[in-house]
Amino acid sequence: MKKIISLILLLIATLSLISCSCKLHDSLDGEYYWISSERNELAFTIKGDKGTIEHGEADYFTINKENSTLKLTGGTTSDSTVKYKYKDGIITVNITGVERDYYQKNSNAYKEALKQFNYK
């Protein structure tokens, strides 16, 4: 009986550790760059559920991860909400009037984009 209880407790502990480690990988925190043949510049920075936009009509945004949305505020824009997609270090979102890919600094996608557009 003790062995069964020990195994159940071990299984619960393992599942909780796996669950917590998966949430760490879902963090959007970091700097995101707009990389193209014409530019390589910081577009926005995310910390927690808030972001600061470097250039554009909006100045800030808040993130709703459940709905995959950003609520844009400040600057010359009226508050609006836009959908985003995140995968492997790339956020695809329309924060400037055009949907673009933004690359999380130091991600593999960021490094590949720098190579693709001949930046060092």
Side-chain angles (χ1 to χ4, degrees):
M1 187 66 169
K2 286 183 179 180
K3 288 182 180 182
I4 293 174
I5 292 174
S6 295
L7 286 173
I8 291 171
L9 290 174
L10 180 63
L11 180 62
I12 291 170
T14 303
L15 290 175
S16 66
L17 285 174
I18 291 171
S19 171
C20 291
S21 67
C22 289
K23 288 182 182 179
L24 291 176
H25 294 294
D26 288 344
S27 173
L28 299 176
D29 287 4
E31 295 179 339
Y32 288 82
Y33 284 76
W34 177 5
I35 302 173
S36 68
S37 58
E38 296 86 31
R39 68 183 74 219
N40 174 14
E41 66 183 34
L42 178 62
F44 56 88
T45 304
I46 297 175
K47 186 169 183 180
D49 64 348
K50 300 197 182 311
T52 305
I53 299 173
E54 296 298 317
H55 308 284
E57 295 177 8
D59 294 325
Y60 307 99
F61 58 84
T62 53
I63 302 168
N64 182 329
K65 289 182 183 178
E66 287 180 21
N67 297 333
S68 298
T69 58
L70 305 179
K71 182 176 181 185
L72 306 172
T73 57
T76 60
T77 187
S78 59
D79 292 0
S80 62
T81 302
V82 295
K83 294 284 266 178
Y84 74 86
K85 292 179 244 165
Y86 178 82
K87 184 174 180 186
D88 300 329
I90 302 171
I91 287 184
T92 305
V93 66
N94 177 355
I95 59 171
T96 61
V98 177
E99 187 172 85
R100 292 189 170 87
D101 290 336
Y102 298 94
Y103 300 88
Q104 189 174 24
K105 186 174 184 181
N106 296 325
S107 68
N108 287 334
Y110 173 83
K111 293 171 186 172
E112 289 299 317
L114 291 177
K115 286 181 193 174
Q116 178 184 350
F117 293 108
N118 296 317
Y119 293 105
K120 294 183 180 189

